């Protein structure tokens, strides 16, 4: 793991050079355990890759005030892999912001990030698909709703930094459904529309993401029980009404859960 201080928040390009003693897999993580890439290296091979990352304040759960983030973190996981060289510089380009709950957030873990003792939200893996094209700034946290994302200050951090052309992915529902005033046809719908209006006012591009399906089944007949159907439907309806793109992770994840089965 390599950590260095940076002069200011923002987007940075990171160039990494690795060397492998033997045939192995290498995972490169940036920042709060965001996957940058997965590489398969041959013995004696040296490879260089470039990534972009976003560094900015967040409000951790149980905290009320923003916590400054002024370090660049690079972590490499792999047997016999050496981190040989790192170069970094400020990078001017688009940012992909994420608003969501535990299914999306950057989950922490102890080194060396062993699969059996760590887990993640899908937002943590997104950087690996974007390479040098777009930096990810994930402001999702466990337990958040379309309401508390705003009231607890997470949205303010994101909104202040959003620029024209930035993408803003919005996925909620798991916690909204626990509160009567945030039912799908109530506060949930209203809050999504408000986010869309405000982000468009900054010429950003809002994208609605349907909530991931739960591993939920009925006790009697053992059939799948779709607890988030209404929230996914409202995402599609609001997307159509407002001309906003919708990513249907609900349908895709539900198909996966049904195929794998409850256990």
């Amino acid at each position: 793991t390599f950590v260095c201080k940076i002069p200011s928040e923002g987007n940075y390009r990171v160039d990494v050079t690795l060397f492998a003693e033997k045939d192995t897999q290498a995972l490169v993580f940036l920042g709060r355990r965001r996957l940058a890439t997965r590489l398969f290296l041959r013995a004696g091979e040296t490879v260089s890759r470039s990534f972009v990352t976003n560094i900015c304040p967040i409000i951790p759960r149980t905290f009320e005030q923003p916590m400054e983030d002024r370090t660049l973190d690079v972590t490499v996981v792999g047997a016999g892999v050496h981190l040989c060289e790192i170069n970094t510089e400020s990078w001017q380009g688009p940012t992909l912001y994420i608003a969501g709950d535990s299914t999306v957030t950057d989950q922490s873990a102890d080194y060396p990030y062993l699969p059996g003792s760590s887990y993640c939200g899908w937002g943590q893996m997104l950087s690996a698909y974007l390479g040098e094209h777009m930096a990810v700034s994930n402001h999702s946290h466990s337990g958040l709703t379309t309401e508390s994302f705003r009231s607890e200050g997470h949205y303010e951090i994101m909104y202040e930094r959003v620029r024209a052309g930035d993408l803003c992915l919005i996925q909620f529902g798991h916690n909204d459904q626990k509160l009567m005033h945030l039912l799908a046809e109530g506060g949930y719908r209203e809050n999504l529309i408000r986010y869309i209006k405000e982000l468009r006012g900054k010429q950003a591009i809002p994208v609605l993401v349907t909530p991931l399906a739960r591993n939920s089944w009925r006790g009697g007949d053992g059939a799948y029980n779709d607890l988030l159907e209404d929230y996914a439907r409202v995402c599609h309806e609001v997307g159509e009404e407002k001309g906003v793109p919708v990513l249907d992770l609900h349908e895709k994840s539900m198909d996966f859960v049904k195929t794998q089965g409850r256990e």
Side-chain angles (χ1 to χ4, degrees), residues 8-201:
S8 62
E9 66 173 81
N11 292 336
Y12 287 83
R13 171 177 164 152
V14 184
D15 304 318
V16 176
T17 300
L18 305 175
F19 171 76
E21 291 182 353
K22 58 183 180 180
D23 292 356
T24 189
Q25 171 184 267
L27 301 174
V28 179
F29 296 88
L30 300 175
R32 295 185 294 275
R33 201 163 68 96
R34 294 198 199 108
L35 182 66
T37 190
R38 179 176 65 170
L39 300 172
F40 295 93
L41 306 176
R42 296 293 186 184
E45 184 179 8
T46 299
V47 298
S48 297
R49 293 289 187 274
S50 298
F51 319 100
V52 291
T53 188
N54 174 269
I55 300 174
C56 79
I58 64 166
I59 303 177
R61 297 304 285 151
T62 74
F63 285 74
E64 296 182 357
Q65 299 298 323
M67 180 176 292
E68 291 293 331
D69 186 356
R70 290 296 174 86
T71 63
L72 172 69
D73 299 63
V74 180
T75 301
V76 178
V77 178
V81 179
H82 296 269
L83 183 57
C84 302
E85 184 177 352
I86 297 174
N87 291 298
T88 183
E89 61 182 10
S90 180
W91 182 81
Q92 301 299 318
T95 304
L96 187 151
Y97 290 91
I98 309 178
D101 50 36
S102 61
T103 64
V104 198
T105 191
D106 294 339
Q107 301 283 5
S108 61
D110 295 329
Y111 297 128
Y113 299 163
L114 297 174
S117 60
S118 60
Y119 62 102
C120 70
W122 61 256
Q124 273 178 279
M125 302 296 113
L126 202 53
S127 297
Y129 297 91
L130 299 176
E132 302 176 65
H133 303 293
M134 185 171 287
V136 174
S137 189
N138 192 355
H139 296 273
S140 308
H141 292 284
S142 298
L144 291 182
T145 66
T146 53
E147 180 180 65
S148 60
F149 182 73
R150 182 188 296 273
S151 65
E152 293 184 13
H154 309 287
Y155 178 60
E156 182 178 0
I157 293 176
M158 173 178 140
Y159 185 75
E160 287 178 348
R161 290 161 177 80
V162 167
R163 299 291 182 265
D166 287 341
L167 285 173
C168 301
L169 305 187
I170 305 168
Q171 184 208 277
F172 292 98
H174 281 251
N175 303 302
D176 291 70
Q177 70 173 186
K178 302 171 186 176
L179 301 170
M180 288 301 297
H181 68 288
L182 294 178
L183 294 180
E185 291 293 352
Y188 179 76
R189 175 189 286 271
E190 295 169 1
N191 290 336
L192 291 182
I193 293 173
R194 184 180 176 187
Y195 284 132
I196 290 169
K197 180 180 179 181
E198 292 173 351
L199 292 170
R200 279 181 164 171

